[in-house]
């Protein structure tokens, strides 16, 4: 039973809410750590193209951008794949947010 629970990608669900709270309150270092835990929980358990994986990377990139670590945000593992996957799968709010974050990061880097 424990093995089955620990291998479930749904084990990360509470982390989705926690990382969103950290992002909403400007606790970007906590958000970064939590997003990394979320990605680690999902690695090997969900496909790299799974929307959950893309969302976790989007949260991670937001946390890094919130710390003005724009280059790190662009280098987040699988982030470009995640952006395009989100845009394809969710052409609504999340896809737009992912695309806007990418544009914002590139704009910030260009102005440095």
């Amino acid at each position: 039973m424990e093995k089955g629970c620990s291998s479930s990608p749904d084990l990360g669900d509470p982390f989705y809410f926690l990382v969103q709270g950290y992002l909403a309150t400007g606790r970007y270092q906590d958000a970064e750590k939590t997003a990394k835990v979320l990605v680690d929980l999902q690695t090997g358990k969900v496909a790299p193209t799974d929307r959950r994986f893309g969302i976790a990377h989007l949260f991670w990139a937001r946390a890094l951008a919130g710390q003005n670590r724009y280059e790190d945000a662009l280098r987040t593992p699988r982030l470009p794949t995640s952006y395009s996957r989100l845009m394809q799968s969710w052409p609504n709010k999340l896809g737009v947010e992912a695309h806007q974050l990418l544009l914002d990061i590139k704009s910030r880097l260009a102005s440095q």
Side-chain angles (χ1 to χ4, degrees):
M1 174 92 169
E2 285 180 10
K3 186 176 181 182
C5 291
S6 65
S7 65
S8 172
D10 296 328
L11 187 63
D13 286 355
F15 291 98
Y16 280 106
F17 298 104
L18 186 58
V19 73
Q20 289 179 74
Y22 287 148
L23 289 169
T25 58
R27 294 176 59 182
Y28 299 116
Q29 290 179 339
D30 291 328
E32 177 189 0
K33 291 174 190 172
T34 305
K36 175 78 169 78
V37 167
L38 185 55
V39 167
D40 290 345
L41 281 171
Q42 294 174 340
T43 300
K45 296 176 184 78
V46 299
T49 55
D50 188 290
R51 66 179 166 79
R52 293 173 291 184
F53 210 50
I55 292 167
H57 281 93
L58 175 60
F59 290 157
W60 194 358
R62 281 184 189 158
L64 293 168
Q67 298 173 66
N68 299 322
R69 294 171 52 197
Y70 304 113
E71 295 214 10
D72 290 340
L74 286 179
R75 285 193 303 259
T76 302
R78 303 194 187 277
L79 196 54
T81 302
S82 300
Y83 282 130
S84 68
R85 178 68 180 161
L86 281 170
M87 289 299 290
Q88 291 170 6
S89 300
W90 293 14
N92 58 13
K93 186 180 178 206
L94 269 178
V96 170
E97 286 179 27
H99 183 68
Q100 187 60 54
L101 178 61
L102 180 61
L103 294 177
D104 290 346
I105 290 170
K106 288 183 176 183
S107 174
R108 299 280 181 148
L109 286 171
S111 68
Q112 289 183 346

